[in-house]
């Protein structure tokens, strides 16, 4: 076969995609020209094999063939697609070595290559080295590079320099700089660009319009975003998604729902995953959890298969609701769609079960994971910590170290928290001191605060105070708060006042600090000091955050506030609590009236305690168990001491396991009348 026939066959192989055969044919063409090599490099990149394209270029150099500008352009494109920074730097050196340093076309390609490799320094070096006048492609490539590298301010600076140099931006330039305005909320510049778009007749460009809508939405100018959207004659699904997300992110749920229905009608095709995920997560963020679940079911009915983004959108809904039933449904959903082997999804389930009150299901999910990373271990350690299972948290920490995984700052926060909740002082101190020494992790303010909590919970208040004073950074409210909580439990008035005074300076608006100090005074019979603390609180206009508790019964969430009498079963609830109070009195267990701040007499204080939200939620749950052996209640604040004792009594007398999640941890009230916190929280 003569060379011309080989060349013809080579081109046929390129067109058909048989690139391996095309490569073999190059060896049979005696005078195979550089153009053929360049065609093969470009073909590999177009077919999605940039690394193979780079290998062909390397082979070209081995044969001592000098690349021309087209070969360099082709391999630069391949390096960009492969994000191969090491090779990109070599191509840059080749461009200089072979005399193309000042060529505008090559320079633009190298800037684009470095941008795709997320290397702004290299791109800027090429940009500054261009001896010829930069064209709109040069400026656009540099602007785009800065955005890809996450430095929007530099992108805007380049754009402004471009305008000052007299180069007019094209649609790609504007599509690159508008996201920078969105990120930085530069409304004034965004408006200037919008004016330029109108003057130049670019308003029908979908990419520019989408960027303008996003810019106005990011700057909280929803009406302007809507006007741009409505002015578009043609709208693609990207533009619809941008407007939809804008409405949802600003809480415009009704408008978003109307737009969503309009979108489905107008597009006339099945919506893609991005759209479904946007509305599901958007409605969840707006607090419309029921709507999110409805949309998830609708998504599946429409034939659109959920992906991992869908899972990450739905799991937090169940976690925030504390709905174990919904969590189990999501678990089945994850299993059914084949995501159980995905470490991110499995870890999310571990966290979900823990936050919904089931440490057992959390551990079972963790044990079934095929592979575990640092985040998975951190989640399981944290789960045991908030459930008061500190010994298991420490065991998991040691298991993680033995497996070869490197702990991070979150790991130590989780395990030290577990030590504090279980009063594991020696273990906590040992782990704290091992951070920098054995694991190269410098303790931060949060870790120091955790150790203060460990010491305070164990009653070593003087040691905790000395530790705070020796901290290498300014002690935070968390550290002083831990000491104050310890002083409340151990009735240490002196250190309690020291901690509270510091807290009044650091976070003067936090009512919990005033309440806690007042309780310390009341418990020590220092009523006048307690009264002054309450007066200080009133004078500063600070009010106690209302307690709110909720419980799920028959797939419905019932919410209660302190003194709530709006529930349909209020009469039964209060009668039940009065009976419990009488039984406790007969058993010699009197109410803790120290937890009531109002100036009431003893009988009124007892009545006030009876109306706390967690008691109301527990009472309703007990009255409507219907064969359920475990009752789970959630509260927005820390549970008070009297409610804690009352719920222990209810669990013991009813034989029902009661789980209460307050703002700090889980309390597992067992049938034997004991709590997992050992009466310290």
């Amino acid at each position: 076969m003569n060379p011309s026939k080989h060349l013809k066959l080579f081109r046929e192989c390129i067109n058909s995609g048989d690139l391996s055969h095309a490569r073999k044919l190059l060896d049979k063409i005696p005078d195979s020209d550089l153009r053929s090599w360049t065609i093969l490099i470009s073909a590999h990149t177009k077919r999605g094999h940039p690394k193979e394209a780079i290998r062909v270029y390397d082979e070209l150099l081995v044969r001592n063939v000098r690349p021309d500008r087209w070969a360099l352009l082709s391999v630069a494109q391949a390096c960009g697609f492969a994000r191969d920074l090491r090779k990109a730097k070599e191509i840059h050196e080749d461009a200089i070595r072979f005399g193309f340093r000042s060529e505008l076309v090559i320079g633009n390609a190298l800037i684009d290559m470095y941008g795709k490799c997320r290397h702004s320094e290299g791109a800027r070096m090429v940009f500054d080295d261009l001896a010829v006048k930069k064209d709109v492609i040069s400026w656009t490539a540099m602007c785009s590079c800065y955005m890809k590298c996450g430095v929007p301010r530099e992108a805007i600076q380049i754009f402004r320099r471009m305008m000052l140099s007299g180069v007019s931006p094209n649609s790609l330039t504007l599509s690159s700089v508008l996201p920078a305005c969105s990120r930085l909320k530069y409304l004034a510049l965004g408006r200037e660009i919008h004016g330029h778009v109108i003057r130049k007749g670019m308003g029908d460009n979908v990419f520019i319009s989408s960027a303008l809508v996003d810019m106005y939405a990011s700057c909280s100018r929803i009406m302007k975003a809507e006007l741009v959207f409505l002015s578009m004659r043609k709208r693609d699904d990207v533009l619809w998604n941008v407007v939809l997300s804008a409405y949802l992110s600003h809480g415009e749920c009704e408008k978003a729902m109307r737009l969503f229905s309009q979108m489905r009608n107008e597009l006339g095709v099945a919506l893609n995953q991005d759209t479904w995920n946007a509305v599901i997560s958007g409605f969840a963020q707006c607090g419309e959890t029921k709507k999110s679940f409805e949309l998830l079911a609708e998504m599946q009915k429409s034939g659109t298969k959920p992906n991992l983004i869908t899972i990450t959108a739905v799991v937090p809904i169940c976690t925030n609701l504390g709905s174990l039933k919904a969590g189990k449904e999501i678990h089945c959903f994850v299993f059914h769609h084949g995501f159980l082997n995905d470490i991110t999804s499995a870890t999310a389930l571990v966290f979900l079960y823990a936050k919904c009150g089931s440490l057992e299901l959390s551990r079972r999910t963790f044990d079934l994971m095929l592979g575990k990373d640092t985040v998975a271990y951190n989640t399981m350690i944290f789960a045991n910590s908030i459930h008061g299972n500190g010994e298991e948290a420490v065991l998991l920490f040691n298991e993680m170290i033995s497996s070869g995984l490197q702990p991070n700052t979150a790991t130590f926060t989780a395990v030290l928290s577990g030590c504090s909740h279980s009063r594991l002082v020696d273990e906590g101190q040992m782990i704290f001191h091992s951070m920098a020494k054995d694991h190269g992790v410098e303790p931060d303010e949060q870790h120091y605060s955790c150790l203060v909590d460990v010491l305070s919970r164990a009653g070593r208040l003087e040691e905790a105070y000395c530790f705070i004073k020796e901290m290498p950074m300014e002690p935070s409210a968390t550290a002083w708060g831990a000491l104050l909580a310890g002083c409340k439990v151990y009735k240490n008035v002196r250190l309690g006042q020291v901690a509270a005074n510091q807290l009044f300076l650091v976070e003067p608006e936090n009512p919990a600090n005033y309440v806690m100090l007042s309780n310390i005074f009341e418990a020590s019979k220092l009523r006048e000091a307690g009264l002054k603390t309450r007066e200080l609180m009133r004078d500063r206009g600070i009010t106690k955050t209302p307690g709110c508790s909720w419980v799920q019964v028959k797939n419905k969430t019932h919410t209660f506030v302190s003194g709530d009498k709006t529930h349909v079963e209020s009469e039964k609830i209060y009668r039940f609590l009065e009976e419990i109070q009488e039984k406790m009195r007969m058993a010699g267990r009197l109410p803790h009236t120290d937890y009531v701040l109002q100036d009431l007499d003893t009988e009124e204080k007892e009545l006030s305690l009876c109306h706390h939200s967690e008691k109301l939620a527990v009472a309703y749950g007990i009255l409507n168990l219907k064969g359920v052996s475990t009752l789970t209640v959630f509260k927005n604040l820390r549970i008070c001491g009297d409610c804690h004792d009352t719920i222990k009594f209810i669990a013991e007398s009813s034989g029902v396991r009661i789980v209460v999640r307050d703002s700090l941890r889980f309390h597992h009230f067992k049938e034997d009348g004991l709590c997992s916190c050992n009466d310290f929280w």
Side-chain angles (χ1 to χ4, degrees), residues 474-623:
E474 190 69 26
S476 68
T478 308
W480 289 115
L483 179 61
L484 182 61
C487 291
K488 180 175 84 71
V489 173
Y490 294 103
K491 298 179 174 60
N492 190 316
V493 176
R494 182 181 64 83
L495 285 180
Q497 284 180 289
V498 171
N501 288 334
Q502 291 295 327
L503 285 165
F504 294 159
L505 294 173
V506 177
E507 46 175 25
E509 303 297 320
N510 187 347
N513 301 324
Y514 298 88
V515 172
M516 208 176 300
L517 179 61
S518 180
N519 286 339
I520 292 172
F521 287 136
E522 292 283 349
S524 300
K525 309 302 179 186
L526 300 171
R527 303 189 66 83
E528 189 175 338
L531 181 62
K532 285 182 179 178
T533 304
R534 297 197 296 275
E535 285 175 353
L536 177 64
M537 188 176 173
R538 281 195 294 268
D539 291 344
R540 293 182 174 181
I542 299 165
T543 55
K544 188 175 181 291
T545 305
C548 175
S549 300
W550 59 98
V551 60
Q552 268 206 340
V553 175
K554 299 175 186 175
N555 299 327
K556 185 179 178 182
T557 301
H558 297 262
T559 303
F560 299 87
V561 294
S562 185
D564 197 343
K565 290 190 178 180
T566 60
H567 196 277
V568 68
E569 294 189 30
S570 286
E571 191 176 333
K572 289 182 183 178
I573 292 169
Y574 281 95
R575 192 183 309 124
F576 173 83
L577 288 174
E578 286 168 9
E579 290 171 1
I580 289 293
Q581 193 176 25
E582 184 58 33
K583 288 178 183 178
M584 289 181 72
R585 197 187 309 279
M586 290 176 66
R589 295 163 74 166
L590 300 178
H592 292 278
T593 55
D594 292 343
Y595 292 99
V596 182
L597 289 184
Q598 292 88 355
D599 296 318
L600 307 174
D601 60 31
T602 302
E603 187 177 343
E604 288 176 313
K605 285 187 175 184
E606 289 181 13
L607 187 62
S608 176
L609 286 169
C610 188
H611 299 171
H612 280 192
S613 65
E614 58 266 54
K615 284 181 185 172
L616 300 176
V618 167
Y620 178 75
I622 291 289
L623 291 169

Side-chain angles (χ1 to χ4, degrees), residues 324-325 328 551-555 620-633 654-659 671:
L324 187 59
K325 181 178 182 295
K328 288 177 179 178
V551 60
Q552 268 206 340
V553 175
K554 299 175 186 175
N555 299 327
Y620 178 75
I622 291 289
L623 291 169
N624 293 274
L625 274 174
K626 305 297 183 186
V628 178
S629 59
T630 301
L631 174 69
T632 304
V633 170
S654 65
V656 175
R657 188 182 186 90
I658 302 173
V659 179
E671 299 89 327

Side-chain angles (χ1 to χ4, degrees), residues 664-680:
L664 196 63
R665 61 169 293 159
F666 279 88
H667 298 263
H668 293 258
F669 298 93
K670 302 167 190 173
E671 299 89 327
D672 57 6
L674 298 176
C675 179
S676 59
C677 74
N678 294 316
D679 296 341
F680 194 124

Side-chain angles (χ1 to χ4, degrees), residues 123-172:
R124 189 56 186 259
M125 190 187 303
V126 176
F127 184 81
D128 290 340
D129 277 354
L130 284 173
V132 294
K133 185 179 178 181
K134 301 169 184 70
D135 62 6
V136 66
I137 298 171
S138 317
W139 292 99
T140 301
M142 197 64 237
C143 185
S144 176
C145 171
Y146 277 133
M147 283 305 298
K148 286 171 183 171
C149 293
V151 279
R153 280 187 175 81
E154 281 77 1
I156 286 175
Q157 286 175 5
I158 281 290
F159 176 74
R160 283 175 169 154
R161 278 185 58 194
M162 172 188 174
M163 299 297 284
L164 288 171
S165 71
V167 177
S168 183
N170 60 19
S171 58
L172 288 174

Side-chain angles (χ1 to χ4, degrees), residues 127-313:
F127 184 81
D128 290 340
D129 277 354
L130 284 173
V132 294
K133 185 179 178 181
K134 301 169 184 70
D135 62 6
V136 66
I137 298 171
S138 317
W139 292 99
T140 301
M142 197 64 237
C143 185
S144 176
C145 171
Y146 277 133
M147 283 305 298
K148 286 171 183 171
C149 293
V151 279
R153 280 187 175 81
E154 281 77 1
I156 286 175
Q157 286 175 5
I158 281 290
F159 176 74
R160 283 175 169 154
R161 278 185 58 194
M162 172 188 174
M163 299 297 284
L164 288 171
S165 71
V167 177
S168 183
N170 60 19
S171 58
L172 288 174
T173 319
L174 300 179
S175 299
S176 296
V177 76
L178 278 169
C181 297
S182 298
R183 190 91 58 87
L184 299 171
K185 295 180 171 49
Y186 281 6
L187 179 61
L189 180 59
R191 282 173 169 165
E192 286 180 32
I193 293 171
H194 191 182
H196 180 87
V197 167
I198 294 170
R199 287 193 299 274
K200 297 294 182 180
M202 298 179 179
D204 284 334
N205 186 294
V206 174
F207 296 105
I208 293 177
S209 294
S210 297
L212 281 169
V213 169
D214 185 59
M215 183 274 297
Y216 280 122
S218 298
C219 296
S220 300
R221 296 297 190 272
I222 303 300
M223 290 297 293
K224 287 291 291 183
E226 191 174 358
L227 285 172
V228 175
F229 174 74
L230 293 173
S231 68
M232 289 290 295
R233 283 185 296 220
K234 186 179 179 183
R235 307 174 186 128
D236 65 359
D237 55 352
V238 175
L239 187 57
W240 283 95
N241 288 346
V242 170
V243 180
L244 198 58
S245 297
Y247 281 142
L248 290 167
S249 63
H250 286 80
E252 300 273 5
C253 294
E254 289 185 16
K255 280 189 176 181
M257 200 62 235
R258 284 200 299 270
L259 186 74
F260 182 60
S261 300
Q262 184 185 343
M263 177 182 182
R264 298 180 74 175
N265 293 332
E266 190 166 317
L267 291 180
V269 293
L271 303 179
N272 60 28
Q273 288 175 326
D274 291 339
T275 304
W276 283 109
N277 290 339
V279 292
I280 290 169
S281 61
F283 276 102
Q285 289 164 14
C286 289
E288 299 283 344
T289 51
K290 184 180 177 183
K291 191 65 190 175
S292 289
F293 277 116
E294 289 174 358
L295 287 165
L296 176 62
E298 203 174 331
M299 174 186 188
Q300 294 175 85
K301 285 179 186 176
S302 73
T304 307
K305 187 176 179 181
N307 58 12
L308 290 175
I309 296 173
T310 321
I311 302 299
T312 56

